[in-house]
């Protein structure tokens, strides 16, 4: 079973982005928005690592981490903060932080730091063992293998195409805002990134164009939605 991470971040967009990228990296994630709820969850569930924003409502990140340390001296803790202040870093490490990451940061670097900490603490590979497979009507999407299969035909995907499609699969039949997609997949915003996203979505649409049960819809002024119609079950005679 994959490792489980407690993610505590009050900024909704940041929480969404980190949640999706951690899941795409193979972790199970419990995303929460305030320190008090996070402490309650920690007392009821088992986690392998905590990612905690310093500035949290109800119970700040330092207080939350101190309470967690009273319950568990060994679990790795990573702080996130927008404040690049020496005193904050010192306080975080005194509490027992394993790392302290200042915003803004690269998602790739963030994931590598998480992986390095878990590998050091648990002496085990941190990638999920299971193959991430998503049925999409008559298609099957294999995320780890970066391919879409229909019958005996397979279409190879680039890494970004696979990450983009998995983001849609995780939120199937739900609208995802355009800026959320940009930050989750490209870690950036702007005209050229937006045009790149349009190209990738166009490529995915071409793969599904002959199957009306699967489509990527443009929700004008908002974002996109992967629509997958349920498949009719054969009736018994």
């Amino acid at each position: 079973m994959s490792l489980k991470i407690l993610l505590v971040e009050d900024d909704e967009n940041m929480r969404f982005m980190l949640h999706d990228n951690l899941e795409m990296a193979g972790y199970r994630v419990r995303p929460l928005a305030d320190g008090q709820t996070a402490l309650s969850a920690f007392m009821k569930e088992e986690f392998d690592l905590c990612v905690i924003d310093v500035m949290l409502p109800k119970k700040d990140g330092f207080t939350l981490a101190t309470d967690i340390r009273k319950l568990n001296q060994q679990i790795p803790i990573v702080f996130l903060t927008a404040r690049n202040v020496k005193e904050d870093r010192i306080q975080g490490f005194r509490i027992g932080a394993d790392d302290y990451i200042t915003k803004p940061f690269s998602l790739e670097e963030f994931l590598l730091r998480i992986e390095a900490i878990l590998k050091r603490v648990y002496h085990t590979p941190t990638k999920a063992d299971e193959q991430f497979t998503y049925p999409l009507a008559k298609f099957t999407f294999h995320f780890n293998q970066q391919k879409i299969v229909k019958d005996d035909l397979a279409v190879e995907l680039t890494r970004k195409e696979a990450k983009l499609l998995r983001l849609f699969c995780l939120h199937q039949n739900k609208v995802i805002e355009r800026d959320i997609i940009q930050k989750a997949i490209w870690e950036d915003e702007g005209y050229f990134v937006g045009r790149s996203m349009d190209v990738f979505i166009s490529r995915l649409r071409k793969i599904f164009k002959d199957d009306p049960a699967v489509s990527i819809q443009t929700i004008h002024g908002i974002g996109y939605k992967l629509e997958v119609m349920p498949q009719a079950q054969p009736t018994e005679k």
Side-chain angles (χ1 to χ4, degrees), residues 139 148 155-162 164-165 168 186 195-210 214 216 224:
F139 296 89
I148 298 173
V155 178
E156 301 292 332
L157 302 176
T158 66
R159 185 63 180 169
K160 267 196 168 54
E161 286 171 342
L164 178 59
L165 182 55
F168 282 130
W186 280 269
R195 296 303 299 163
S196 176
M197 178 168 59
D198 293 338
V199 171
F200 277 85
I201 289 176
S202 177
R203 289 176 183 170
L204 292 176
R205 281 174 169 159
K206 288 179 180 178
I207 296 172
F208 300 119
K209 65 182 176 65
D210 294 327
V214 184
I216 300 175
Y224 298 93

Side-chain angles (χ1 to χ4, degrees), residues 50-95:
C50 300
V51 177
I52 302 173
D53 184 46
V54 171
M55 304 297 290
L56 292 172
K58 298 184 181 179
K59 184 187 290 283
D60 69 83
F62 289 145
T63 303
L64 171 61
T66 300
D67 291 342
I68 286 174
R69 275 284 172 257
K70 293 175 183 177
L71 299 168
N72 187 323
Q73 289 289 322
Q74 306 302 322
I75 189 167
I77 295 175
V78 176
F79 281 118
L80 305 178
T81 182
R83 287 163 49 92
N84 188 15
V85 179
K86 177 182 176 182
E87 289 73 19
D88 282 0
R89 293 197 300 274
I90 291 173
Q91 183 178 356
F93 286 120
R94 280 178 175 167
I95 291 170

Side-chain angles (χ1 to χ4, degrees), residues 5-43:
I5 294 176
L6 174 63
L7 170 64
V8 196
E9 167 62 66
D10 63 322
D11 183 279
E12 185 176 3
N13 287 344
M14 176 66 74
R15 187 171 65 252
F16 183 99
M17 179 175 63
L18 294 179
H19 180 192
D20 276 359
N21 277 270
L22 285 167
E23 282 197 336
M24 282 191 282
Y27 305 109
R28 292 176 295 143
V29 184
R30 181 81 151 89
L32 297 170
D34 69 82
Q36 189 60 54
T37 305
L39 181 61
S40 297
F42 187 86
M43 295 172 69

Side-chain angles (χ1 to χ4, degrees), residues 29 49 52 140 171:
V29 184
L49 179 140
I52 302 173
T140 303
H171 303 278

